[in-house]
Amino acid sequence: MMRRFLVIVAIIVVIGGTTLAQPKDAKRGGLPTLFIMGDSTVNNSGEGFQGWGNVITEHFDSAKITIENRARGGRSSRTFQTEGLWDKVLTEMKKGDLLLIQFGHNDGGSLDKDRARGSLKGIGDESKEVTIEATGKKETVHTFGWYLRKYVSDAKGKGVVPILLSPVPRNIWKDGKVIRASGDYGFWAKAIAASTKTLFVDLNEISAIQYEREGQPKVAAEYFTTKDHTHTSPAGAKLNARSVVEGLRKLKGSPIKKYLAD
């Protein structure tokens, strides 16, 4: 009797252990996953703000793909890696998954002061040794392009399809036109996409065109708040999500299109 009891207990433990050890993709029903990484323009849910990654799920067929928005407010291409956020995403990824990458808004910050989240400008291999003022720790800081290349290379190494995006435009205008990121972070993201043969969506340009169609007064009143010119309102997040999808639909040879809702 005791032996039979012990056998039953052993079976329960094994089954329980198997359940606990299930990989996260099994919990997602075995569907491919679209991971999203970026900053607060992608993931934001406070003070009247919202990011496009928070609302993009409605544009995808949930029966075919799972969306995981791992963007984090205040992060740059540099700190998303140095804080270990990328390692967590990379661990969960599997072959056949997809990845959207949008950085740039916080990469222009200080290299060693305040949040110490800035990256070197450009796409080269140069680096700079800095000492973080707040912690005294030393760090090798690379270019914006270097970090993007690493994300792309790591993702492709796991059989994941990465898609680079230029950052959404800020609510900054000149002569009736939205100021583009085509001379810096948008340009550099596009250049890395070209050099690594990676899919690219010029989100900055697509959304800027939409803003200009709506007009500066409406954009300021409805798509942003009075608190700043960077973070979008829920309406602005929805507009940018539509812009992302518009860009995705135009990509040639991308598997992501088959997961979009009709």
Side-chain angles (χ1 to χ4, degrees):
M1 191 73 177
M2 178 61 70
R3 184 177 180 182
R4 182 180 297 177
F5 173 76
L6 292 175
V7 170
I8 293 173
V9 170
I11 292 173
I12 292 173
V13 171
V14 170
I15 294 175
T18 302
T19 301
L20 293 173
Q22 279 187 325
K24 292 192 175 182
D25 61 282
K27 296 179 181 179
R28 299 179 190 128
L31 297 175
T33 301
L34 171 62
F35 289 91
I36 306 173
M37 50 193 284
D39 50 42
S40 57
T41 64
V42 185
N43 192 353
N44 199 338
S45 58
E47 300 182 32
F49 298 130
Q50 198 166 45
W52 59 259
N54 300 118
V55 296
I56 202 169
T57 53
E58 64 190 55
H59 296 282
F60 285 85
D61 187 340
S62 60
K64 296 179 179 179
I65 194 166
T66 300
I67 311 293
E68 290 286 340
N69 185 6
R70 300 303 176 80
R72 188 77 66 86
R75 272 57 180 189
S76 63
S77 67
R78 167 189 169 189
T79 55
F80 200 88
Q81 176 182 299
T82 58
E83 292 180 13
L85 299 173
W86 172 236
D87 287 339
K88 292 179 181 178
V89 173
L90 193 60
T91 298
E92 292 183 34
M93 286 178 164
K94 64 184 184 302
K95 185 177 181 179
D97 287 342
L98 300 105
L99 171 67
L100 300 182
I101 306 170
Q102 184 221 277
F103 285 110
H105 284 294
N106 299 316
D107 279 85
S110 172
L111 298 182
D112 55 3
K113 297 178 176 60
D114 301 321
R115 301 190 191 184
R117 57 188 180 179
S119 58
L120 299 181
K121 298 183 184 302
I123 61 174
D125 290 322
E126 59 267 29
S127 62
K128 182 177 181 179
E129 291 288 333
V130 301
T131 300
I132 309 301
E133 187 177 78
T135 64
K137 293 183 178 180
K138 295 185 180 298
E139 182 185 336
T140 300
V141 180
H142 302 276
T143 65
F144 176 70
W146 186 93
Y147 292 108
L148 293 190
R149 273 198 300 273
K150 176 171 174 50
Y151 295 138
V152 166
S153 176
D154 288 351
K156 288 183 177 180
K158 292 203 70 171
V160 174
V161 178
I163 302 173
L164 289 171
L165 291 79
S166 54
V168 292
R170 302 177 192 269
N171 185 28
I172 302 178
W173 301 65
K174 182 178 181 180
D175 300 327
K177 296 291 184 181
V178 176
I179 300 297
R180 287 357 186 224
S182 55
D184 45 43
Y185 296 102
F187 174 78
W188 296 328
K190 184 176 182 179
I192 292 300
S195 66
T196 59
K197 296 182 179 179
T198 300
L199 297 168
F200 174 72
V201 171
D202 196 350
L203 177 58
N204 189 265
E205 179 65 19
I206 296 172
S207 284
I209 291 174
Q210 294 298 326
Y211 289 174
E212 289 167 358
R213 286 175 180 167
E214 300 284 353
Q216 186 173 0
K218 182 177 180 178
V219 169
E222 297 185 16
Y223 299 144
F224 290 84
T225 74
T226 57
K227 296 177 181 178
D228 63 37
H229 55 220
T230 300
H231 300 93
T232 51
S233 66
K238 288 183 178 181
L239 183 149
N240 286 330
R242 291 194 298 271
S243 294
V244 171
V245 173
E246 178 183 333
L248 294 177
R249 289 192 186 279
K250 293 178 179 178
L251 292 176
K252 295 181 179 180
S254 171
I256 199 169
K257 290 189 282 189
K258 65 184 178 183
Y259 301 117
L260 292 169
D262 293 333

